[in-house]
Amino acid sequence: MNKAYWIAGLVAAGLGIAGIAQANPGGIGRLSFEQLDTNGDGRLTRDEMAARGQARFAKADANGDGMLTADEMMAQGRARMEQRINLMIKNRDANGDGMLSLEEMRANNVGDRLFARVDTDGDGAVTAEEFASAKAKWRMHRAGKPATE
């Protein structure tokens, strides 16, 4: 039962934060300042950001009871995943066949760039220490804390 509450808490927190992306499935990086500044005063307030989160929560709360069930959270997660997958296919499908080949998946070299970031000494191999360091930085980033060098 604790695991269910933990997962529900994470999803609820994610929905709150993801509320800023309600108008655009790409996240905050793809939203304009004007979309977030709902009162048009040239400033983003916590209330404006909270309103986005509340709207996202309300959208996920399919039965409107003010509570999110596992089914509602799964439905919201599936919808977001579907949006991301469709966007990925749209952005990477070079030949327009609606499918992604291995070459199309690799076209933007994300894997190579990630490997280069983890291979901090540039020797073409990742050591256990480099891996642990990268993993720790990723965890700090996910927690919203600045990474230490």
Side-chain angles (χ1 to χ4, degrees):
M1 195 66 157
N2 275 342
K3 186 176 181 180
Y5 284 116
W6 181 78
I7 291 170
L10 285 176
V11 172
L15 287 171
I17 293 168
I20 59 177
Q22 180 180 0
N24 188 324
I28 191 169
R30 296 182 189 247
L31 284 175
S32 71
F33 183 87
E34 290 76 20
Q35 287 173 301
L36 294 169
D37 181 20
T38 56
N39 66 4
D41 69 354
R43 298 173 52 209
L44 291 180
T45 64
R46 286 192 167 120
D47 288 342
E48 287 169 313
M49 299 302 278
R52 284 275 190 196
Q54 290 168 353
R56 185 70 171 189
F57 186 94
K59 182 179 177 184
D61 182 17
N63 64 6
D65 68 354
M67 304 292 285
L68 293 180
T69 65
D71 287 342
E72 288 169 327
M73 290 187 281
M74 291 297 290
Q76 185 71 12
R78 279 190 296 273
R80 287 181 45 203
M81 184 180 292
E82 185 175 326
Q83 289 174 333
R84 291 178 124 177
I85 289 169
N86 289 335
L87 185 60
M88 178 186 280
I89 291 172
K90 177 183 172 191
N91 290 336
R92 295 183 181 192
D93 184 17
N95 64 5
D97 66 358
M99 299 179 285
L100 296 180
S101 66
L102 181 58
E103 292 77 22
E104 288 169 324
M105 289 291 291
R106 290 183 173 167
N108 64 4
N109 295 321
V110 170
D112 290 340
R113 290 193 312 258
L114 179 60
F115 188 90
R117 287 178 64 190
V118 175
D119 179 20
T120 56
D121 64 9
D123 69 353
V126 174
T127 65
E129 291 80 18
E130 288 171 320
F131 183 83
S133 175
K135 194 171 180 180
K137 287 178 184 176
W138 180 82
R139 284 183 179 148
M140 294 296 284
H141 172 75
R142 297 286 294 177
K145 299 175 183 170
T148 56
E149 293 297 324

